[in-house]
Amino acid sequence: MKLLYTNELELREQFGLTAGVDEAGRGPLAGPLVVSACILDLQYSIPDLNDSKKISERIRETIYEQIIDTAIDYQVIIISVDEIDQLNILGATMKGMEEAVKGLRIKPDLVLLDGNRKPTGLPDALPIIKGDSQYASIAAASILAKVTRDRIMREIHNLYPSYNFLKNKGYPTREHCKALVEYGITEHHRRSYKPVKEAEREKVQWKRSKH
């Protein structure tokens, strides 16, 4: 059995039902933050399950469907660009984690969070650095969050193809930053992020210089 499942089983034997929590989209300049919580049924082993960053988009899509079909419970929370700008990305992440866990129909005995922080509303949760490569439930949550967010970014790409969100998923690639300066920002960009602020400022200055 994969180490991810072995680690998860050990915790369940000690604490009871475990839920993993992870997010996708802290670093991008555009698009929402997506946070997921997942309680796996450990009778079903998903062979390719891993940290979402370590597997291809095609395999992630397949695993996503397997998780949806076999999980005991899961919850996916979408935090909008406006909320990210209002709360800052850390605050938005903490809010999403708390909402994802509290949105589960089945209450877990132990919550495993990917990262080194936990929301004040989840005092008993256990933060684990690189948890998505150590525990099956966190890896599953990372897949749910990543696939959901990628699908949203594909939809946004169809509205704004000039930014190539299909490829960069909103991350600050050279191509994306160049498009920001050339075309300005959209309603899907995070105005509190420095490159977006700078692009908006440059566009305003350029317009003024034309008048």
Side-chain angles (χ1 to χ4, degrees), residues 126-207:
L126 184 63
I128 301 166
I129 296 170
K130 295 192 180 352
D132 48 5
S133 58
Q134 297 180 63
Y135 292 93
S137 63
I138 303 181
S142 81
I143 299 276
L144 294 179
K146 175 72 174 156
V147 170
T148 300
R149 189 176 188 280
D150 283 357
R151 289 176 178 179
I152 292 168
M153 294 312 295
R154 286 201 287 272
E155 290 174 12
I156 297 174
H157 171 82
N158 292 333
L159 298 172
Y160 297 98
S162 302
Y163 300 84
N164 202 5
F165 293 138
L166 188 64
K167 184 179 178 185
N168 62 53
K169 304 296 191 294
Y171 281 88
T173 61
R174 183 179 296 178
E175 178 189 38
H176 184 188
C177 292
K178 188 178 175 186
L180 266 178
V181 174
E182 190 170 347
Y183 303 110
I185 69 173
T186 71
E187 71 270 26
H188 299 286
H189 279 97
R190 302 174 182 180
R191 285 179 155 83
S192 58
Y193 278 45
K194 189 179 177 184
V196 179
K197 278 183 187 173
E198 289 175 352
E200 193 171 26
R201 192 162 54 239
E202 283 180 34
K203 201 75 176 173
V204 168
Q205 288 170 349
W206 181 80
K207 282 180 179 175

Side-chain angles (χ1 to χ4, degrees), residues 3-203:
L3 184 63
L4 286 167
Y5 282 97
T6 304
N7 290 343
E8 192 90 21
L9 277 166
E10 284 177 3
L11 280 185
R12 285 207 180 173
E13 285 167 6
Q14 191 175 352
F15 296 100
L17 203 59
T18 50
V21 182
D22 203 357
E23 48 70 30
R26 288 187 70 165
L29 306 179
L33 174 75
V34 180
V35 187
S36 173
C38 184
I39 302 174
L40 287 174
D41 185 340
L42 298 185
Q43 292 181 80
Y44 299 93
S45 178
I46 300 170
D48 293 321
L49 181 63
N50 206 338
D51 169 4
S52 64
K53 298 183 287 296
K54 294 179 179 175
I55 47 183
S56 70
E57 190 166 347
R58 182 182 61 81
I59 293 173
R60 279 198 302 266
E61 287 280 349
T62 302
I63 295 172
Y64 174 93
E65 298 300 335
Q66 291 174 310
I67 294 166
I68 297 296
D69 288 344
T70 62
I72 291 172
D73 198 5
Y74 66 91
Q75 180 65 254
V76 178
I77 301 293
I78 296 166
I79 305 285
S80 71
V81 166
D82 289 341
E83 287 179 283
I84 293 168
D85 286 338
Q86 184 184 346
L87 297 170
N88 75 46
I89 192 63
L90 177 61
T93 303
M94 295 298 106
K95 179 183 185 224
M97 285 181 163
E98 189 171 335
E99 287 185 1
V101 173
K102 291 184 175 176
L104 291 167
R105 297 182 308 276
I106 297 165
K107 183 174 168 54
D109 298 299
L110 179 66
V111 175
L112 309 174
L113 307 176
D114 185 59
N116 61 356
R117 293 173 183 262
K118 60 183 176 182
T120 53
L122 300 175
D124 299 325
L126 184 63
I128 301 166
I129 296 170
K130 295 192 180 352
D132 48 5
S133 58
Q134 297 180 63
Y135 292 93
S137 63
I138 303 181
S142 81
I143 299 276
L144 294 179
K146 175 72 174 156
V147 170
T148 300
R149 189 176 188 280
D150 283 357
R151 289 176 178 179
I152 292 168
M153 294 312 295
R154 286 201 287 272
E155 290 174 12
I156 297 174
H157 171 82
N158 292 333
L159 298 172
Y160 297 98
S162 302
Y163 300 84
N164 202 5
F165 293 138
L166 188 64
K167 184 179 178 185
N168 62 53
K169 304 296 191 294
Y171 281 88
T173 61
R174 183 179 296 178
E175 178 189 38
H176 184 188
C177 292
K178 188 178 175 186
L180 266 178
V181 174
E182 190 170 347
Y183 303 110
I185 69 173
T186 71
E187 71 270 26
H188 299 286
H189 279 97
R190 302 174 182 180
R191 285 179 155 83
S192 58
Y193 278 45
K194 189 179 177 184
V196 179
K197 278 183 187 173
E198 289 175 352
E200 193 171 26
R201 192 162 54 239
E202 283 180 34
K203 201 75 176 173

